[in-house]
């Protein structure tokens, strides 16, 4: 099984992208996690869409369509989603059928703050639901004080690594049950 992973952070030293790399290493046997970078995705604009999706948008939509499930690393900026993640959801909510329609996702998020990304994950849940995508009920990996758990782009905190391992195993069971 291949799971499409996406980080809502574009920062080179992103804590959230580090979570995805850890998830890729901790994935259950037989599960491959492919990380898709949002760096080249233009801002959603219906005028651009009317002329035909630009190649980065086509690549994003094709990746979402091909994946049975998504793993989203959701940073929290000012209590909400990042513009890059919201933009990716907007593009993948377009078309008939929309790439996100009928998909299932799970989320995790890391932040230097104590509460992790709880507010952003609430916003993510709302946005995905509106796009026809379910967020698995176990979607509460909230990595607070990430700067103490991620060093040089590597998740070093063993408790967090164990939580991600359990989280992914449960998510894979849900995805397989839906297949």
């Amino acid at each position: 099984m291949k799971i499409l992973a996406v980080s809502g952070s574009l920062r080179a030293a992103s804590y959230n992208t580090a979570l995805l790399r850890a998830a890729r290493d901790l994935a259950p046997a037989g599960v491959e996690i492919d990380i898709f970078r949002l760096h080249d995705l233009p801002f959603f604009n219906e005028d651009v869409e009317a002329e035909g999706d630009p190649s980065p948008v086509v690549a994003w939509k094709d990746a979402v369509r091909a994946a049975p499930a998504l793993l989203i690393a959701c940073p929290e900026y000012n209590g909400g989603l990042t513009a890059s993640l919201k933009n990716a959801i907007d593009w993948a909510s377009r078309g008939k059928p929309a790439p996100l329609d009928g998909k299932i996702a799970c989320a995790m998020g890391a932040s230097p703050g104590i509460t992790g990304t709880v507010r952003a994950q609430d916003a993510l849940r709302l946005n995905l639901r509106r796009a026809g995508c379910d967020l698995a009920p176990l979607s509460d990996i909230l990595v607070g004080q990430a700067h103490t758990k991620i060093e040089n782009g590597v998740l070093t905190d063993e408790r967090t690594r164990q939580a991600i391992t359990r989280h992914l195993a449960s998510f894979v069971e849900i995805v397989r049950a839906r297949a």
Side-chain angles (χ1 to χ4, degrees):
M1 170 190 307
K2 285 190 178 187
I3 294 176
L4 180 66
V6 62
S7 173
S9 175
L10 305 179
R11 193 169 66 91
S14 165
Y15 297 133
N16 287 280
T17 304
L19 288 183
L20 293 181
R21 286 192 301 270
R24 185 176 55 200
D25 295 342
L26 298 168
V31 174
E32 183 179 328
I33 295 178
D34 294 327
I35 299 174
F36 189 96
R37 294 172 42 111
L38 299 176
H39 293 70
D40 297 327
L41 212 59
F43 280 110
F44 177 75
N45 178 330
E46 281 190 57
D47 294 337
V48 172
E49 182 186 42
E51 294 176 14
D53 288 344
S55 60
V57 173
V58 171
W60 167 238
K61 287 181 171 185
D62 287 348
V64 173
R65 277 188 194 98
L70 287 83
L71 172 61
I72 302 172
C74 180
E76 184 171 297
Y77 290 3
N78 297 316
L81 294 178
T82 62
S84 58
L85 186 53
K86 175 67 168 81
N87 184 54
I89 292 167
D90 289 345
W91 276 114
S93 72
R94 306 290 290 187
K96 298 215 183 292
L100 281 173
D101 192 30
K103 294 291 178 183
I104 188 165
C106 75
M108 61 174 90
S111 170
I114 291 176
T115 60
T117 60
V118 67
R119 291 176 300 268
Q121 286 192 38
D122 284 344
L124 177 66
R125 192 173 284 109
L126 175 66
N127 280 264
L128 288 176
R129 201 173 300 130
R130 294 258 167 100
C133 178
D134 290 327
L135 200 59
L138 52 98
S139 296
D140 283 24
I141 292 286
L142 304 167
V143 182
Q145 299 183 327
H147 59 288
T148 67
K149 298 171 182 165
I150 297 170
E151 299 173 18
N152 299 317
V154 176
L155 177 62
T156 57
D157 183 69
E158 191 54 36
R159 288 183 65 194
T160 304
R161 291 177 67 80
Q162 291 170 4
I164 289 172
T165 300
R166 289 188 305 272
H167 187 69
L168 288 173
S170 295
F171 183 56
V172 167
E173 283 181 33
I174 291 169
V175 173
R176 287 186 173 139
R178 286 177 54 134

